[in-house]
Amino acid sequence: MTRFGRIGDPPATLSVPRPRRRGGRRRPSGLLGALGTAAILLALLGAWELYAQVGGVDPLILPAPHQVASSLWLDRSLLWDNLRVTAGEVLLGILVAGVAGFACAVALHVSLALRRSTYPLLVASQTIPIPLVAPLLVVWLGFGLGPKLVIIGLISFFPIVVTTLDALARVDPEQLKLLRTLDASRWRILRHVELPAALPGLFSGAKVAVAVAVIGAVFAEVFGGSSSGLGNLVQQAIPNLRTDRAYAAVLILSAFAIVLFGLLTLAERLLVPWAHESPNGRNR
Amino acid sequence: MEGVRVDGVERVFRARGRRGVEVVALHGMDLRAAPGEIVAVVGASGCGKSTLLELVCGLQAPDAGTVAADPAVLMPQRDLLLPWASALDNAALALRVRGVPARRARVEAVPWFERFGLSGFEDARPAALSGGMRQRVAFVRTLLAGKPVLALDEPFAALDALTRQEMQGWLARVLAEEPRTVVLVTHDVEEAVVLADRVVVMSPRPGRAVAELEVGLARPRHRTDVAVVALRERALEALGAPA
Ligand SMILES: Nc1ncnc2c1ncn2[C@@H]1O[C@H](COP(=O)(O)OP(=O)(O)O)[C@@H](O)[C@H]1O
Ligand SMILES: [Mg+2]
């Protein structure tokens, strides 16, 4: 075999690899962003504290931040125990929704008939009023993890299916033509091109699902007759005149959602780093 | 082996949604490529060149006329490399989708990387490659498809002028060593004359062949050769462009 001219070699420096661009989006440096968030938080807390002190509000309705902070500290083991319960429900729920949602999106993508017939039902499933069905689920599945997983899974499932399906649909039609001239079967197109291309969609969906899954967990605990979890703690705290504890629990829930979101973003960067690079084929 | 035969082909697109609006992409289009021949097709943008290649590849069926061709592989205008796969795996995709196991596919692709000056970039992902390198990886993928006919759709149109010239010289050498039946679509008349055995000039839409130039010049050719320049002028004239 002959060697063809190596175009990348000197003196022709034309084909030297481009410096890699990291991240498709411009964003302020992490430190700046964190400082900004902290500043906004501090301002909000300050305003809240001031209002609680001089506004003459009943602390049972609106506790001051310092009261919430003290509950965070004094009730730390109670909060921690309940966080573990809720976190377990949320993680398991998102996992179930992720697996089922991805599989469902692929099935809908492959079968037009299925997509036409099932997609409207999927949208309809999002209008199910959870407070109404939660007690029924309890009757049906008992007081354990079952009804919570169903509720969290049900509302996390939808964003995952939608974003995964969109990612599948966005595969370049030219790419599919190319694959057909390479004699690729439907299954091999799916396996080698479409499934990997759908992964960023799965991550986007899971990120949206984090927020709704946490709300879903609270609903599930409140309306599903739960005896533990942060949602349950909030519900118990209010009639016991422990509004500060209720606020503390909500704070923990938000922090948990932020952490989960951050972890997903990190996993996304590690597992699908190409998703935010310059788009495939910068040629036009 | 029959190469490529396109006879009196018509291709009409109906605009979706709006009834009655039709785009006649090709009308009475003829094209022949003998086995082993390199035929360049030049024409204005929108004259149906990509449509012609898809017909040759069997991705579309003509509305009238006939298309007969040996199995053809498409090299689309954009390289369409998979951003998550290494350069080597991208080239080996042609084998993978036919069921060749990953290791064997890579082993088969490696020698092509050496031949095409891509050694050392096997594990690089496409985003780390220059435009010229990406195009060469895409070309390895095209060759590994193992089809007798290559349908190349403006393969160098997106490259900067200098890289494009290098790549044209490179493709000429590759095809000298790996003879295939090639239908090379381009809107660069010079590229057509430098690379092809024959140049087919298409009319604006609806596209059909309006002129055919036998190149018949010794290789390697350079864009500055007097004969190349003369042919280029004739092709431009046939295109109706001010020479
Ligand atoms: N799938 C399609 N649906 C509708 N119109 C199309 C389609 N493909 C091509 N056309 C039209 O046919 C004409 C020829 O397109 P194309 O073959 O891509 O031209 P070229 O490659 O020469 O630029 C264009 O006017 C284009 O808009
Ligand atoms: Mg085109």
Side-chain angles (χ1 to χ4, degrees):
Chain A
M1 281 194 190
T2 327
R3 295 175 68 87
F4 294 101
R6 296 173 133 268
I7 293 172
D9 286 351
T13 47
L14 303 158
S15 306
V16 162
R18 292 180 287 147
R20 248 183 84 198
R21 248 211 290 156
R22 303 184 51 217
R25 249 173 259 172
R26 252 164 210 277
R27 50 176 171 259
S29 79
L31 186 66
L32 216 66
L35 280 177
T37 309
I40 292 170
L41 265 178
L42 275 178
L44 285 174
L45 282 174
W48 178 4
E49 183 76 50
L50 199 69
Y51 181 64
Q53 300 276 359
V54 302
V57 214
D58 185 344
L60 286 182
I61 294 169
L62 184 72
H66 77 268
Q67 290 167 305
V68 176
S70 98
S71 164
L72 272 177
W73 176 248
L74 295 174
D75 298 331
R76 61 186 178 278
S77 75
L78 185 70
L79 288 166
W80 173 246
D81 288 345
N82 285 287
L83 169 64
R84 284 192 0 214
V85 172
T86 304
E89 294 162 1
V90 168
L91 287 175
L92 210 56
I94 290 184
L95 194 70
V96 169
V99 172
F102 193 78
C104 178
V106 171
L108 293 184
H109 175 71
V110 172
S111 163
L112 180 66
L114 201 64
R115 186 160 68 247
R116 289 241 169 98
S117 57
T118 318
Y119 215 10
L121 298 180
L122 214 66
V123 176
S125 79
Q126 291 309 292
T127 62
I128 295 175
I130 288 167
L132 293 186
V133 294
L136 299 177
L137 284 173
V138 172
V139 173
W140 185 24
L141 299 168
F143 281 98
L145 197 57
K148 280 145 210 130
L149 277 190
V150 170
I151 290 169
I152 297 169
L154 192 69
I155 62 173
S156 312
F157 180 75
F158 185 69
I160 291 174
V161 172
V162 172
T163 54
T164 306
L165 202 53
D166 280 351
L168 285 164
R170 268 201 310 273
V171 172
D172 197 326
E174 292 286 314
Q175 180 89 66
L176 300 177
K177 283 180 189 163
L178 163 72
L179 287 161
R180 277 170 59 202
T181 72
L182 295 176
D183 298 331
S185 66
R186 185 73 192 84
W187 156 241
R188 294 231 163 83
I189 291 176
L190 195 65
R191 174 174 159 208
H192 291 289
V193 177
E194 291 177 311
L195 288 186
L199 285 179
L202 174 64
F203 274 107
S204 306
K207 279 153 84 178
V208 177
V210 163
V212 293
V214 170
I215 297 169
V218 171
F219 267 138
E221 286 170 9
V222 170
F223 298 100
S226 187
S227 56
S228 60
L230 287 173
N232 177 68
L233 194 69
V234 171
Q235 201 195 11
Q236 301 294 322
I238 292 170
N240 286 328
L241 307 182
R242 288 297 309 270
T243 329
D244 55 338
R245 186 185 283 166
Y247 274 80
V250 170
L251 220 58
I252 298 278
L253 276 172
S254 324
F256 170 63
I258 292 172
V259 168
L260 203 54
F261 190 89
L263 287 176
L264 271 173
T265 308
L266 191 69
E268 185 184 22
R269 277 215 201 119
L270 292 175
L271 296 175
V272 292
W274 44 269
H276 296 294
E277 279 165 1
S278 59
N280 182 16
R282 58 200 184 111
N283 319 345
R284 192 121 286 244
Chain B
M1 294 280 267
E2 55 184 338
V4 174
R5 295 164 151 268
V6 173
D7 287 312
V9 157
E10 169 135 343
R11 185 77 181 100
V12 182
F13 293 106
R14 274 156 202 91
R16 226 180 277 169
R18 280 182 297 164
R19 254 167 296 140
V21 182
E22 289 187 347
V23 175
V24 182
L26 295 170
H27 182 78
M29 178 68 198
D30 300 311
L31 182 76
R32 292 286 161 91
E37 192 182 18
I38 303 173
V39 176
V41 177
V42 296
S45 182
C47 76
K49 304 184 296 293
S50 296
T51 304
L52 177 68
L53 286 188
E54 290 192 13
L55 287 161
V56 168
C57 290
L59 292 167
Q60 296 185 18
D63 294 303
T66 57
V67 176
D70 289 325
V73 59
L74 181 68
M75 179 166 165
Q77 223 160 326
R78 286 172 300 140
D79 55 59
L80 296 174
L81 299 179
L82 304 173
W84 56 82
S86 69
L88 192 63
D89 284 340
N90 263 295
L93 182 72
L95 300 167
R96 296 287 285 130
V97 294
R98 293 208 313 266
V100 178
R103 283 195 48 189
R104 231 184 68 210
R106 290 195 191 118
V107 166
E108 259 186 74
V110 161
W112 291 100
F113 269 55
E114 284 164 14
R115 287 180 74 175
F116 290 179
L118 291 164
S119 288
F121 289 93
E122 287 86 352
D123 295 329
R125 280 191 298 113
L129 300 178
S130 68
M133 293 175 113
R134 291 173 65 115
Q135 219 58 29
R136 275 178 282 163
V137 173
F139 195 75
V140 176
R141 180 184 63 199
T142 310
L143 285 179
L144 281 174
K147 305 258 176 120
V149 178
L150 309 183
L152 311 181
D153 197 351
E154 308 196 20
F156 309 132
L159 302 176
D160 62 84
L162 277 165
T163 312
R164 189 183 327 154
Q165 278 189 38
E166 287 185 72
M167 290 295 293
Q168 287 162 358
W170 171 84
L171 182 64
R173 292 193 296 277
V174 173
L175 289 175
E177 301 228 349
E178 288 288 328
R180 303 287 170 105
T181 311
V182 177
V183 181
L184 168 73
V185 156
T186 174
H187 56 227
D188 179 348
V189 173
E190 212 163 56
E191 177 172 293
V193 174
V194 168
L195 289 173
D197 299 317
R198 199 148 49 80
V199 178
V200 172
V201 179
M202 285 177 74
S203 68
R205 200 179 64 219
R208 65 190 174 83
V210 287
E212 211 174 287
L213 309 174
E214 285 292 337
V215 179
L217 300 174
R219 291 183 167 94
R221 304 170 190 154
H222 298 282
R223 52 190 57 241
T224 45
D225 294 348
V226 178
V228 168
V229 173
L231 267 171
R232 194 194 68 154
E233 298 302 304
R234 274 180 58 203
L236 281 174
E237 217 168 290
L239 268 174

